[in-house]
Amino acid sequence: MSSPVTDNPATDVMSTNAFTFGGSWIQLTGADAADEAYHGPDGFSFTYEQEYFLHSPDEENGIIEQHLIGEKMQVLLTLETRRLSTWQWAGPFTYAAVQDEWRALPGDEFAKKIARQGVANFLGGEVAVLDDDYRQVPGDGSTMGEIGFRGNAVMKGYYREPEITEKAFAGGWFRSGDLGVLHDDGYIELRDRAKDIIISGGENISSIEVENTLASHPDIEEAAIVSMPNERWGEVPAAFVSPKAGKSLTEREVIDFCRERLAHYKCPQQVIFEPLPRTSTGKVQKYSLRERM
C-alpha cells in the first residue's frame, strides 16, 4: 500500500478483502491514479481529490464512471474487463452493498445502482428517509424526504447547544439536512441538500437532478443550479455552466437540452457561462452564485 494514506475507509476495512485472497491494494493520490488504473491491481482506494481526475469513461478499457455533483465527492469506478472493484461510501453510516444480480446489468444501469448511498452500515445504526411527521416515506424512488440517522455512531448532541440539539434530533432522529428518496429495494439515493432545493410554483426541484442532466451534455465540463427569484412562480432554476475547453454553447442550446430530458418547469430559465467558484475543499460556492441572482 502506497502512502500517504488519507481519510478513506478502504485502508482499514475494504483492503482486507484483497489481502485475504492473495491480492494487492493500492492507495493513491493525485492525477497519477488515473494512469495506475490500467496496471492490474485487485483493489483501489481513492481519496476525495481524485474525483477531479477521473472524468471520462473509457469503453475500450471497460471503465464505468459516475461523476457526482454536490456535497459529497466520491469516485465510482469499475473496471469490468480487469475485474477491479471499488466501493461507494457516504460517510460512516451508509454503504451501497452490491447485489449479485446487478452485475448482469448493462454498464450504465450498474453504475446508477452503485451510485446510490445505499443501506445502513451494520455497525452504524439506523437510517431512514423521513417525511415532516418523522415517518418513513414510501419506497417508490420519487417521494422525497430528509435523511435521518440514529444509533451508537450518532453524536449525543452539540456541545453546550441544547436548543440546536433539540431541533436537530426532533422526532428521535438526527436530521441531516440531506434530501433523498427510498427505492423499492430499500436503498437510499440522495437528491439534494434541503438548503439547495428549489420550490417553484409549489413544485420541488432537485438542483442535483438538473445538474446531472447538464453534466451529461458532451460539451459541458461542469454546471451548478441555484434558485432565481420569479414574480409568478416565486423562484425558478438558473444555471451556471462551464463549457469544456474549445467548446462553445448558447443559452438556448442548454435550455433546449434540458427540456428534451426533464419536465419543463425543472429547466433553467437563465444560463450564465463562467467557471464555478469553489471553496478550498473543492465544493461549489452556491451561496456566492445565489447572491448573483
Side-chain angles (χ1 to χ4, degrees):
M1 184 177 294
S2 61
S3 294
V5 175
T6 60
D7 179 17
N8 194 300
T11 60
D12 57 1
V13 180
M14 302 311 298
S15 55
T16 305
N17 293 338
F19 300 149
T20 299
F21 295 98
S24 59
W25 193 275
I26 297 177
Q27 169 95 19
L28 294 168
T29 61
D32 290 341
D35 296 329
E36 291 293 333
Y38 303 104
H39 294 170
D42 301 294
F44 261 98
S45 175
F46 291 106
T47 54
Y48 300 138
E49 63 266 26
Q50 290 168 334
E51 194 254 2
Y52 292 108
F53 298 118
L54 297 168
H55 284 278
S56 301
D58 185 335
E59 295 179 1
E60 180 180 349
N61 290 284
I63 298 178
I64 302 166
E65 184 261 354
Q66 174 73 30
H67 182 202
L68 299 184
I69 300 175
E71 294 291 317
K72 186 168 64 64
M73 296 167 58
Q74 290 285 345
V75 176
L76 300 180
L77 178 69
T78 62
L79 296 181
E80 291 297 323
T81 57
R82 304 193 69 97
R83 299 188 181 280
L84 173 65
S85 298
T86 65
W87 292 266
Q88 164 68 349
W89 289 79
F93 236 95
T94 61
Y95 170 49
V98 177
Q99 303 299 316
D100 289 339
E101 58 269 24
W102 295 358
R103 301 187 185 280
L105 296 172
D108 57 343
E109 292 184 31
F110 179 75
K112 289 178 182 178
K113 290 282 189 183
I114 65 171
R116 300 179 299 175
Q117 283 59 50
V119 293
N121 184 320
F122 70 97
L123 293 177
E126 298 176 76
V127 60
V129 184
L130 306 169
D131 63 17
D132 292 338
D133 296 318
Y134 312 112
R135 297 174 300 191
Q136 177 76 275
V137 302
D140 55 14
S142 60
T143 303
M144 270 201 295
E146 186 175 2
I147 310 297
F149 304 97
R150 64 185 179 191
N152 65 343
V154 180
M155 67 176 181
K156 291 184 177 181
Y158 291 99
Y159 184 61
R160 294 183 178 177
E161 295 285 359
E163 293 181 2
I164 296 176
T165 298
E166 183 178 359
K167 182 179 179 180
F169 283 86
W173 295 84
F174 174 68
R175 308 297 288 253
S176 67
D178 291 319
L179 301 180
V181 298
L182 180 68
H183 289 273
D184 57 5
D185 59 1
Y187 280 58
I188 285 172
E189 180 183 3
L190 291 185
R191 288 293 173 85
D192 217 339
R193 289 287 291 169
K195 64 183 180 181
D196 293 334
I197 204 77
I198 299 169
I199 303 175
S200 183
E203 296 283 353
N204 289 340
I205 301 172
S206 165
S207 66
I208 291 178
E209 180 184 10
V210 185
E211 288 168 352
N212 284 338
T213 298
L214 290 173
S216 69
H217 192 291
D219 294 338
I220 291 179
E221 178 67 24
E222 56 183 359
I225 295 292
V226 297
S227 62
M228 177 176 70
N230 182 274
E231 217 173 285
R232 181 178 182 183
W233 303 114
E235 56 185 19
V236 294
F240 286 81
V241 173
S242 178
K244 289 184 177 178
K247 302 295 183 179
S248 61
L249 291 163
T250 67
E251 181 178 64
R252 188 72 260 164
E253 287 174 333
V254 173
I255 294 174
D256 287 345
F257 181 83
C258 284
R259 289 171 71 91
E260 291 171 2
R261 293 161 176 79
L262 297 172
H264 291 184
Y265 73 88
K266 296 181 179 182
C267 299
Q269 302 290 309
Q270 181 179 352
V271 180
I272 300 170
F273 295 99
E274 62 180 51
L276 303 184
R278 294 185 179 274
T279 66
S280 59
T281 58
K283 296 181 180 180
V284 175
Q285 295 178 325
K286 285 198 170 183
Y287 65 88
S288 174
L289 300 179
R290 289 191 197 97
E291 292 173 355
R292 304 260 310 275
M293 304 313 300

